[in-house]
Amino acid sequence: MKALIAGAGRLGTQIAQVLSAAQNEVILVEQDDERLHEVSALPRVRLVAGDACDPALLEHAGGLTCDLIISTTGRDEDNLVISLIAKRQFDVGRVVARVNDAENAWLFDQRWGVDVAVPAATPLISLIEEATGATDTVALLRLSKAGVEVIETAITERSRAAGHLLGEIALPNGTVVATVVRNGRPTVPQPAMRLLPGDELLLVSHEATEQEIHAAFQ
């Protein structure tokens, strides 16, 4: 599957990480240069600088050949414009848009090209499931077609990984850390990140069991 994600914020980054880990072709569009730099370490994700509301930019990024376009910017008006371009101009099969202000939810429907509207207050895992379409990609935290599992583990005071650098943790084969959620904010994992009690990790694996992953951190 080829997916284009507009907006490299919390939701956009998480979806990009999960989809790329499942061997999908992922393009992430962001107009903030500082934010682009922050996510530059994302593996197997092509970054494009620019305004996704610009049809020419979207076309240049690959929108015409995408199976899925997801608009996750922090502005509802931008998400609606991007959705309309994706559906009406590019005829994308599945268009997903984030709803930042609940009062605007009524706008996010087929009239604006939106197939799936994702409320911003939805829990992280549910956001990823709903945005990508559980029946054809994540499938209730299990990417069964690709043989990939998405597993969560939390760091506590008693966890063996507490206080250690992420790069020091010996992960099972075929496993990557997709994100570390700290104080409610997801961050791009770096080897030099020191794991703290309260951290929540989202991992993707096509080989390890949930027990093996938990054992690496607990």
Side-chain angles (χ1 to χ4, degrees), residues 10-11 76 96-102 105 108 116-124 126-128 130-131:
R10 171 178 177 264
L11 176 58
D76 284 343
V96 179
R98 174 184 183 178
V99 183
N100 297 282
D101 186 342
F108 287 74
V116 180
V118 181
T122 307
L124 178 60
S126 297
L127 282 173
I128 295 172
E130 190 170 355

Side-chain angles (χ1 to χ4, degrees), residues 116-153:
V116 180
V118 181
T122 307
L124 178 60
I125 291 299
S126 297
L127 282 173
I128 295 172
E129 287 182 336
E130 190 170 355
T132 55
T135 58
D136 40 46
T137 50
V138 178
L140 198 58
L141 303 187
R142 279 173 171 76
L143 302 165
S144 56
K145 282 188 176 180
V148 176
E149 287 193 285
V150 181
I151 298 168
E152 287 182 289
T153 191

Side-chain angles (χ1 to χ4, degrees), residues 29-44:
V29 180
E30 173 60 54
Q31 61 180 338
D32 187 314
D33 290 338
E34 183 176 342
R35 181 56 185 162
L36 269 181
H37 177 71
E38 291 175 358
V39 300
S40 59
L42 285 174
R44 300 179 300 279

Side-chain angles (χ1 to χ4, degrees), residues 73-86:
T73 79
R75 292 167 54 90
D76 284 343
E77 53 267 44
D78 288 351
N79 291 338
L80 288 171
V81 169
I82 293 165
S83 297
L84 191 62
I85 295 170

Side-chain angles (χ1 to χ4, degrees), residues 18-102:
V18 171
L19 291 182
S20 63
Q23 309 304 314
N24 295 291
E25 182 179 352
V26 179
I27 304 152
L28 186 57
V29 180
E30 173 60 54
Q31 61 180 338
D32 187 314
D33 290 338
E34 183 176 342
R35 181 56 185 162
L36 269 181
H37 177 71
E38 291 175 358
V39 300
S40 59
L42 285 174
R44 300 179 300 279
V45 175
R46 180 163 72 89
L47 302 178
V48 176
D51 184 357
C53 291
D54 180 355
L57 185 280
L58 275 183
E59 182 174 348
H60 170 73
L64 281 172
T65 57
C66 283
D67 306 294
L68 167 69
I69 286 185
I70 308 172
S71 188
T72 66
T73 79
R75 292 167 54 90
D76 284 343
E77 53 267 44
D78 288 351
N79 291 338
L80 288 171
V81 169
I82 293 165
S83 297
L84 191 62
I85 295 170
K87 183 64 72 174
R88 301 289 174 82
Q89 189 165 335
F90 296 163
D91 195 27
V92 175
R94 185 176 180 83
V95 177
V96 179
R98 174 184 183 178
V99 183
N100 297 282
D101 186 342

